[in-house]
C-alpha cells in the first residue's frame, strides 16, 4: 500500500498514521516529524524549516521535495509507505508523481480526514499544554488553518479526480476514526 494521509492541522493525521502503519506494516513518513527532529538537532535543514514552522507557514517546496525524494528512495519504503503531511501544495503533488514514476510505481490512495474547525483548535491547544510545540499557539494554529485552506484543500479535488480519494470523518474517538479508515481501506 502506497498512501498519503491529509487533513487540516489537528484532524488526526499523525495520530491515525501510527495505527494505520502498524496495521499495514508500512513505514510512517511524516514531513512534520522529520522537520521537528531536525529543528531539535539544530541541523541546517532544521534551522531553515524553523523559520517557517513557528509562524505556521509551509517550509518551501524546494527544501521539502528533496527531503521526501531521499526518504522514499530508502529500502524500507520500496514495498509501501504512508506519507503524512505530504503533499501539501499542488507543486508537491506533481513532485510526488515524478518521484514515484522514477521509482517505477504510483500512489494507491489518498485518505482525507475531515474535522470541525473549533474542535481541532481545542485539540491542538490541549496538545500545546502536553507537548509545548512552538506552532500550537492559538494565533499560529489559526494561521496554519488558513494556509491549509488556501494551499492544501485544493489537493482533495485533485485526488478525487484521480479516483483514489477516501474521505473519513475525523470526529469521535481515536479508535473510532482508526476503525473507519481501516474499513474504508479494506473496502
Ligand atoms: P505536521 O506535523 O504535519 O502538523 P499537524 O498538521 O499539526 O498534524 P499532526 O499530525 O501533528 O497532528 P494530529 O492532527 O495527528 O506539520 C507541522 C508543520 O511542519 C507544518 O505546519 C509546516 O510548517 C511543516 N510542514 C510539514 N509538512 C510540510 C510540507 N509537506 N510542506 C511544507 N511544510 C510542511 O493531532 C493533533 C492533536 O489532536 C494531537 O494532540 C492528538 O492527540 C489529538 N487528536 C487526534 N485525533 C483525535 C481524536 N479523534 N480525538 C481527540 N483528540 C485527537
Amino acid at each position: 500500500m502506497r498512501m498519503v494521509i491529509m487533513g487540516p492541522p489537528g484532524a488526526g493525521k499523525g495520530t491515525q498514521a501510527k495505527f494505520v502503519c502498524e496495521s499495514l506494516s508500512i513505514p510512517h513518513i511524516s514531513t512534520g516529524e522529520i522537520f521537528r527532529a531536525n529543528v531539535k538537532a539544530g541541523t541546517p535543514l532544521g534551522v531553515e524549516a524553523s523559520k517557517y514552522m513557528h509562524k505556521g507557514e509551509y517550509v518551501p517546496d524546494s527544501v521539502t521535495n528533496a527531503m521526501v525524494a531521499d526518504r522514499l528512495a530508502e529500502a524500507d519504503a520500496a514495498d509501501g509507505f504512508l506519507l503524512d503531511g505530504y503533499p501539501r501544495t499542488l507543486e508537491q503533488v506533481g513532485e510526488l508523481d515524478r518521484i514515484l514514476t522514477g521509482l517505477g510505481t504510483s500512489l494507491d490512495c489518498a485518505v482525507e480526514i475531515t474535522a470541525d474547525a473549533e474542535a481541532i483548535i481545542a485539540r491542538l491547544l490541549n496538545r500545546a499544554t502536553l507537548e509545548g510545540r512552538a506552532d500550537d499557539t492559538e494565533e499560529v494554529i489559526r494561521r496554519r488553518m488558513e494556509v491549509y485552506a488556501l494551499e492544501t484543500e485544493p489537493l482533495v479535488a485533485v485526488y478525487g479526480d484521480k479516483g483514489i480519494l477516501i474521505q473519513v470523518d475525523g470526529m469521535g474517538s481515536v479508535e473510532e476514526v482508526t476503525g473507519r479508515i481501516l474499513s474504508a481501506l479494506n473496502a
Side-chain angles (χ1 to χ4, degrees), residues 7-16 30-33 35-36 52-53 56-61 64 84-89 92 123-124 126-127 131 133 135-136 144 170-174 177:
K13 298 183 293 292
T15 306
Q16 295 302 330
S30 159
T31 43
E33 268 179 26
F35 285 137
R36 278 188 292 282
Y52 303 91
M53 291 172 77
E57 306 295 337
Y58 287 168
V59 179
D61 286 342
T64 311
D84 163 11
Y86 184 96
R88 262 179 159 93
T89 63
Q92 292 180 10
R123 283 182 190 176
L124 292 172
N126 181 49
R127 180 170 70 185
E131 295 177 18
R133 249 174 69 171
D135 58 350
D136 278 345
R144 284 161 61 199
M171 303 310 296
S173 71
V174 170
V177 180

Side-chain angles (χ1 to χ4, degrees), residues 45-100:
L45 174 66
V47 171
E48 182 63 15
S50 70
K51 290 185 203 162
Y52 303 91
M53 291 172 77
H54 81 274
K55 291 187 287 191
E57 306 295 337
Y58 287 168
V59 179
D61 286 342
S62 54
V63 176
T64 311
N65 287 336
M67 181 179 92
V68 172
D70 286 349
R71 181 63 187 88
L72 287 177
E74 287 180 29
D76 67 337
D79 294 327
F81 55 79
L82 187 162
L83 266 174
D84 163 11
Y86 184 96
R88 262 179 159 93
T89 63
L90 286 169
E91 190 190 317
Q92 292 180 10
V93 171
E95 182 59 20
L96 179 58
D97 282 347
R98 278 189 289 279
I99 296 170
L100 294 178

Side-chain angles (χ1 to χ4, degrees), residues 80 113 128 175 180-181:
I113 307 181
E175 296 74 17
R180 284 178 206 142
I181 296 175

